[in-house]
Amino acid sequence: MRGLTSMEIAIIVGIILVIAVAVGWWLYTTAGAAMTGQPRLNVVTAEVTADDKMLTLVMVNPGPVDAQIAAVELAGVSQTPSCTVGKQTSNIIKVGANATCTATFSGLTPAPGTSLSGRVILAGGQSFPFTAIVKPGSTQTEQQG
């Protein structure tokens, strides 16, 4: 019985080295993915006024990272909203902050008492669905009163 030759030892060491590099890369990428958080957003209320077709969303960002709003879609129509975070106008909602966003959807004809499906789309591509209740507008409320 003879021992291993230097070529056999080199092949075994090479295989072990390739496996070690592969496992190390997998651990590195897994840890990197676990450390970067995905933005989340909770839509607290969603209302559309029937006469001016204005959508008003009240949202909160529970974290773990800031959320940047790119668009709001309502009944298949997309608009860029105007958001107020605290006293500032910004489409970036910081962690733990509340925001009120508005957008006008002139192409829609919402009927009071119905609801419309929509979603908030973030700059990273994530979307958060909501259901907006259609409320009568100020002129309709005055006529009914």
Side-chain angles (χ1 to χ4, degrees):
M1 205 138 183
R2 60 181 260 258
L4 296 174
T5 64
S6 60
M7 184 61 129
E8 292 168 336
I9 292 174
I11 291 172
I12 291 173
V13 169
I15 291 171
I16 291 172
L17 188 60
V18 167
I19 291 171
V21 168
V23 169
W25 182 255
W26 177 76
L27 288 173
Y28 173 74
T29 57
T30 303
M35 289 183 184
T36 58
Q38 292 293 318
R40 294 185 305 167
L41 202 61
N42 293 340
V43 178
V44 179
T45 62
E47 295 180 351
V48 179
T49 53
D51 62 347
D52 60 2
K53 299 164 186 156
M54 174 79 72
L55 170 69
T56 304
L57 294 171
V58 177
M59 298 175 282
V60 64
N61 180 0
V65 295
D66 297 344
Q68 181 176 2
I69 298 177
V72 174
E73 187 177 280
L74 184 65
V77 179
S78 183
Q79 292 290 336
T80 303
S82 172
C83 298
T84 304
V85 182
K87 294 182 180 181
Q88 297 180 344
T89 301
S90 174
N91 281 13
I92 297 175
I93 305 171
K94 301 277 185 194
V95 175
N98 295 334
T100 302
C101 296
T102 58
T104 302
F105 291 86
S106 57
L108 298 178
T109 54
T114 62
S115 61
L116 299 171
S117 296
R119 62 187 181 136
V120 177
I121 303 168
L122 301 185
Q126 302 89 348
S127 65
F128 300 92
F130 63 87
T131 302
I133 298 170
V134 181
K135 303 259 180 181
S138 58
T139 55
Q140 293 175 350
T141 305
E142 291 170 3
Q143 291 172 358
Q144 291 175 356

